[in-house]
Amino acid sequence: MKIIIIGGGATGASCAARLRRLDERAEITLLEQTNEISIANCGLPYYISDTIANRDDILVSDTDTFKNWFNIDVHLNTRVVRIKRDTREVVTDTGVTYPYDKLVLALGAAPFLPDTPGITNSNVFTLRHLADADKIKDHIRQHAVQRAVVIGGGFIGLEMVENLKHMNIDVSLVEACDQILNPFDTDIADVARNTLLRHGVTLYLNTTVQKIAGDQVYLSSGQILTTDIVIAAIGVRPETGIAVEAGLETGLRGAIRVNANLQTSDPNIYAGGDSIEVKNLVCGNAALIPLAGPANRQGRIIADNIAGISSMYQASQGSSIIRLFDTAFAMTGATERGLQEQNKPYHKIHVWANSHASYYPDAHPVLIKLLFGRDGTVFGAQVYGQSGVDKITDVIASLIRHQATVTDLVEIELCYAPPFNSAKSPVNIAGMAAENVLRGFVTPCFDLDSDAVLIDVRPAAAFARDALPQAINIPIAELRNAMLRLPQDKKIIVYCAKGYTGYVAACLLRQEGFKNVFSLSGGLMFLKDRKTP
């Protein structure tokens, strides 16, 4: 069997290697339009800053390994321009024809560049390949770069911001939307925004670049930024031109449509990676989720199916994480925006927990935002903090994959020792808080209401340091004696530093007959973390 794979990234490379392990006699040819295969694209921003100092560390594999280990023919600098489905052939830009029995499209996604004047200037760069990173490094060194403008506040843009700052370069970030990290909900993205500001990044939201002329970047706000380099990280688009021309069925933004076996509308052609449309695990809608983990798995699944092993790709849930200086931000599953777009009713909570036992050194607070259904099904989570964020998010991601409920979060048994976790892990605590909401033990609120009675139940000394306007201080130990003077007919919001004491106070008031009592979700600490400076 002749198998042609177009694209040597995560999907193409994993598919090729898996195929060889399954079928020693197959004729496998991989065609890659650049001069590199199987590189660690996600490490490129860190290579630019020399956090990853050795260039060879970015090279996951090479043509010699593919040939010597797997007997796979790799052709670099080979761009396929046409798929001839009727004769089962692909044609390159030099006119060379490769016949196939099965074809795998691992085309990836290309950086999106608008038709902004000056966007192709010599001081403007995109980042997709190792060669792009080399060009950026050379420009920074040759021009002694001191100032940079990054366009786009997504994952690549923000990783470039962090790494440029590590190089002592002044960075301005321009984002067309009203928040950075658009896949996250606004309340968590606001914390990320403040993290950037705290580390000296100049931020322009709701702003677009109108023109780039020399070292001047003209903004829609009328401001003009002077810069030595521009990084355009505006987003990516599925690179599917040859698939469209071949008449394969496409969907969102021209992405290739595939079935559960990752077959296209032509059963002899498979596709995976950033160029395909996937199913959202939680909401069930079509989505574009260009991530390395799913791309690798899809390559493996395609190989299985070509080799006659029935294998299916179910859906993507968008599990992602990014480090911004001293804080990590992670997410998995659905967001509020996604649930609202699909008209899916949900509850939400914000809870604080420690990365490990609080009495063991270097424990850090971690905030978990949990989204769940009326029946307790866990829809999604967003987490931030200085440590433990990946572990917490990964556990919740695993549970979402298996349609878990908040009770499953309560009951899951995780490793505990003081240096690693708490006896009640953050995942357990999030599940308990969600159960309390479903059982009516507490009603969270997420913003302050000027008409409500606002009660701060922290000790008097803490209240004196940073009280909210219009709040009255009734420490939790005094609440039982003071409740007689509280109005029964008004909305009451209780809060503390992180939410637990406020929850205790709300339970007390509710049991004493107060019907309109709310606990501030995430407490004062979360409110301050996301407040605009």
Side-chain angles (χ1 to χ4, degrees):
M1 185 189 305
K2 289 184 172 64
I3 298 128
I4 299 294
I5 300 170
I6 304 177
T11 300
S14 64
C15 179
R18 174 70 168 173
L19 264 171
R20 176 55 74 222
R21 294 193 296 269
L22 296 175
D23 187 349
E24 179 59 27
R25 292 177 176 80
E27 296 181 32
I28 306 170
T29 303
L30 191 154
L31 308 178
E32 167 56 46
Q33 65 179 345
T34 71
N35 65 347
E36 59 197 37
I37 63 165
S38 197
I39 67 164
N41 302 74
C42 298
L44 293 178
Y46 306 96
Y47 164 65
I48 289 171
S49 68
D50 281 338
T51 300
I52 299 173
N54 188 351
R55 187 181 189 276
D56 289 344
D57 290 342
I58 296 293
L59 303 173
V60 179
S61 190
D62 56 32
T63 56
D64 289 341
T65 300
F66 270 76
K67 184 63 179 176
N68 297 331
W69 283 33
F70 299 110
N71 191 26
I72 293 170
D73 289 326
V74 177
H75 298 264
L76 300 178
N77 299 305
T78 302
R79 186 166 70 91
V80 175
V81 295
R82 187 180 176 196
I83 301 169
K84 299 170 69 175
R85 292 169 54 193
D86 54 346
T87 58
R88 293 192 194 175
E89 296 172 312
V90 299
V91 183
T92 71
D93 58 355
T94 59
V96 178
T97 298
Y98 293 87
Y100 68 84
D101 295 306
K102 300 295 181 183
L103 175 63
V104 179
L105 302 180
L107 306 174
F112 170 72
L113 283 179
D115 55 359
T116 303
I119 198 69
T120 58
N121 289 357
S122 61
N123 63 337
V124 181
F125 299 87
T126 58
L127 183 61
R128 183 188 186 190
H129 303 292
L130 183 53
D132 300 328
D134 288 333
K135 291 175 183 177
I136 293 171
K137 291 188 75 164
D138 289 344
H139 185 89
I140 290 172
R141 183 178 62 254
Q142 293 170 7
H143 297 270
V145 167
Q146 297 296 313
R147 299 160 298 184
V149 171
V150 176
I151 309 172
F155 287 96
I156 295 297
L158 292 180
E159 287 171 349
M160 280 304 306
V161 165
E162 180 191 37
N163 283 280
L164 289 168
K165 286 293 291 185
H166 284 331
M167 301 169 74
N168 296 316
I169 295 172
D170 290 331
V171 183
S172 296
L173 175 63
V174 182
E175 168 56 51
C177 297
D178 59 359
Q179 70 172 66
I180 60 172
L181 284 179
N182 198 51
F184 285 72
D185 285 326
T186 301
D187 51 0
I188 306 300
D190 285 346
V191 182
R193 172 203 64 202
N194 293 343
T195 302
L196 293 185
L197 296 176
R198 183 160 42 87
H199 286 85
V201 177
T202 305
L203 186 58
Y204 300 89
L205 296 177
N206 290 310
T207 305
T208 58
V209 172
Q210 301 294 294
K211 180 176 68 172
I212 303 170
D215 64 353
Q216 305 290 299
V217 178
Y218 294 77
L219 305 183
S220 57
S221 61
Q223 294 164 289
I224 302 174
L225 307 180
T226 301
T227 187
D228 303 311
I229 190 172
V230 177
I231 307 296
I234 303 168
V236 295
R237 297 289 185 272
E239 195 166 29
T240 57
I242 60 172
V244 173
E245 186 181 350
L248 298 179
E249 186 178 347
T250 58
L252 292 173
R253 298 182 189 171
I256 302 167
R257 282 201 172 135
V258 294
N259 62 18
N261 299 119
L262 299 177
Q263 283 175 304
T264 68
S265 52
D266 183 327
N268 295 307
I269 302 177
Y270 294 78
D274 296 354
S275 61
I276 69 168
E277 180 184 271
V278 296
K279 178 183 176 182
N280 181 290
L281 176 69
V282 175
C283 295
N285 57 297
L288 299 180
I289 303 178
L291 294 170
N296 274 283
R297 292 198 303 279
Q298 288 157 11
R300 179 185 177 91
I301 289 168
I302 291 170
D304 284 354
N305 285 301
I306 291 175
I309 302 168
S310 181
S311 185
M312 293 192 297
Y313 186 79
Q314 301 293 343
S316 294
Q317 64 192 87
S319 300
S320 312
I321 189 168
I322 185 171
R323 185 191 69 188
L324 293 180
F325 303 100
D326 58 356
T327 307
F329 295 83
M331 64 175 294
T332 187
T335 61
E336 284 195 73
R337 186 188 307 116
L339 293 168
Q340 290 164 3
E341 288 173 353
Q342 298 302 313
N343 296 313
K344 204 172 180 73
Y346 66 93
H347 295 283
K348 64 178 176 179
I349 55 165
H350 305 83
V351 295
W352 288 98
N354 287 315
S355 55
H356 57 250
S358 59
Y359 55 83
Y360 190 86
D362 298 322
H364 296 288
V366 178
L367 182 119
I368 304 170
K369 176 179 182 177
L370 192 70
L371 301 169
F372 51 100
R374 292 171 178 172
D375 63 352
T377 300
V378 182
F379 290 153
Q382 292 163 59
V383 185
Y384 73 86
Q386 292 187 18
S387 62
V389 171
D390 53 342
K391 177 172 69 175
I392 294 165
T393 309
D394 285 344
V395 171
I396 298 176
S398 300
L399 291 165
I400 289 174
R401 175 59 60 170
H402 296 285
Q403 293 82 48
T405 67
V406 297
T407 300
D408 294 316
L409 269 64
V410 175
E411 294 179 351
I412 191 169
E413 185 175 327
L414 301 174
C415 297
Y416 161 60
F420 304 103
N421 209 341
S422 299
K424 287 190 293 187
S425 79
V427 174
N428 299 144
I429 291 171
M432 293 171 186
E435 273 194 339
N436 287 335
V437 171
L438 292 177
R439 291 171 176 171
F441 296 160
V442 65
T443 304
C445 69
F446 309 99
D447 292 295
L448 301 178
D449 185 341
S450 59
D451 294 329
V453 177
L454 189 59
I455 302 175
D456 187 324
V457 294
R458 297 176 299 159
F463 178 79
R465 285 194 302 269
D466 57 359
L468 292 173
Q470 288 82 49
I472 59 175
N473 182 218
I474 306 177
I476 185 68
E478 302 173 15
L479 186 58
R480 286 179 177 82
N481 295 327
M483 68 176 63
L484 291 177
R485 66 175 189 262
L486 296 177
Q488 289 267 3
D489 59 342
K490 297 197 70 174
K491 179 178 180 179
I492 295 175
I493 298 175
V494 291
Y495 76 88
C496 61
K498 296 182 180 178
Y500 176 73
T501 310
Y503 155 66
V504 173
C507 289
L508 171 59
L509 292 174
R510 185 179 293 275
Q511 292 181 63
E512 291 297 330
F514 290 85
K515 305 295 186 185
N516 203 15
V517 178
F518 297 81
S519 176
L520 183 63
S521 189
L524 184 60
M525 190 166 165
F526 180 52
L527 192 69
K528 291 167 66 177
D529 275 0
R530 61 191 174 100
K531 184 179 179 182
T532 303

